[in-house]
Amino acid sequence: MEFLTLNTGAKMPVEGFGVFQIPDAAQCEQVVYDAIKTGYRLLDTAAAYMNEEALGKGVANFYPAILANLCENVEVIPAVNQVELHPFFAQEAALGNMKSYGVVPQAWGPLAEGKHGIFTDPELTEIGKKYGKSAAQVVLRWNAQRGVSIIPKSVHVERMEQNIDIWDFSLTEDEMKKIAEKDLGHSEIVNHEDPGFVKALCGMKIHE
């Protein structure tokens, strides 16, 4: 595993595990436990996911003796900006802007939520064959090499294992450029500039 140094001085694993769209509490608790067992040490969560309690229980099940100490000594300072980042929405300008402020970009939807035929893309698959990797692993490695923190999600242990198995190869400069050329310049998952979408997000009341 590789690490990124935040502007706080703390070191953060480049790859973590996401739990967005895992609403079932029992399943979320189990997959978090499985993710930690697989080797993940960065867990993404948010009140809007509606599964924070389940994530906490999954962590507690794995680290019961030290969880209380961790919770008492957590210091949160804005150092990471989570945005949509994948080959079809590369956001190079946004990455440059974040870099200028010393903020680490973190990709939600690093696998484009399965859109654009990303898992069977001919070029990604061909690059993967060279390293004995899947198209998904190539995409995750591409973002990681750009200095982007990634938080792929899966409820299947074998996928968790595959997603974290990207640290034994590096893409060439030409391969990085070829993958970046897939950029569409916009998202096809959500319209980030839609005022209605922004208003709905800001209007969500999770904790009273």
Side-chain angles (χ1 to χ4, degrees):
M1 177 62 67
E2 296 176 4
F3 294 81
L4 291 167
T5 301
L6 305 183
N7 57 28
T8 63
K11 290 188 179 296
M12 181 181 73
V14 175
E15 184 171 9
F17 185 77
V19 296
F20 179 52
Q21 296 179 331
I22 307 180
D24 182 85
Q27 184 182 42
C28 182
E29 182 178 337
Q30 182 60 52
V31 299
V32 166
Y33 179 90
D34 290 338
I36 297 173
K37 187 176 180 180
T38 300
Y40 293 88
R41 293 297 181 268
L42 171 65
L43 301 171
D44 169 57
T45 187
Y49 298 174
M50 305 296 288
N51 57 15
E52 288 178 301
E53 183 177 352
L55 182 146
K57 287 181 178 179
V59 175
N61 290 340
F62 200 91
Y63 294 117
I66 65 171
L67 182 64
N69 181 60
L70 285 174
C71 291
E72 290 175 1
N73 292 283
V74 171
E75 180 182 8
V76 179
I77 299 175
V80 179
N81 186 21
Q82 191 179 109
V83 295
E84 181 184 349
L85 293 166
H86 50 76
F88 301 96
F89 192 34
Q91 299 214 66
E92 290 290 351
L95 293 189
N97 191 43
M98 283 181 249
K99 183 178 180 180
S100 69
Y101 284 99
V103 173
V104 169
Q106 186 173 73
W108 67 257
L111 296 173
E113 295 194 344
K115 298 182 184 297
H116 309 287
I118 194 168
F119 299 123
T120 56
D121 181 274
E123 290 182 319
L124 297 174
T125 299
E126 187 61 29
I127 292 173
K129 285 181 180 179
K130 174 182 173 182
Y131 303 102
K133 302 294 180 179
S134 67
Q137 288 171 308
V138 167
V139 167
L140 293 175
R141 182 65 198 181
W142 171 79
N143 246 336
Q145 281 188 214
R146 297 198 302 159
V148 174
S149 169
I150 47 178
I151 46 172
K153 179 210 81 176
S154 180
V155 297
H156 305 289
V157 174
E158 60 273 19
R159 291 282 178 82
M160 294 180 196
E161 293 173 343
Q162 184 184 83
N163 289 342
I164 205 172
D165 184 24
I166 63 169
W167 305 105
D168 58 353
F169 76 106
S170 295
L171 298 169
T172 67
E173 186 176 338
D174 285 345
E175 289 167 342
M176 291 289 290
K177 289 180 179 179
K178 181 178 290 187
I179 295 170
E181 288 172 357
K182 295 183 179 295
D183 184 24
L184 300 174
H186 64 273
S187 171
E188 292 196 348
I189 295 177
V190 62
N191 183 356
H192 298 269
E193 299 179 0
D194 177 14
F197 173 69
V198 175
K199 183 178 180 179
L201 285 180
C202 295
M204 291 181 69
K205 296 185 182 299
I206 308 300
H207 300 306
E208 296 296 337

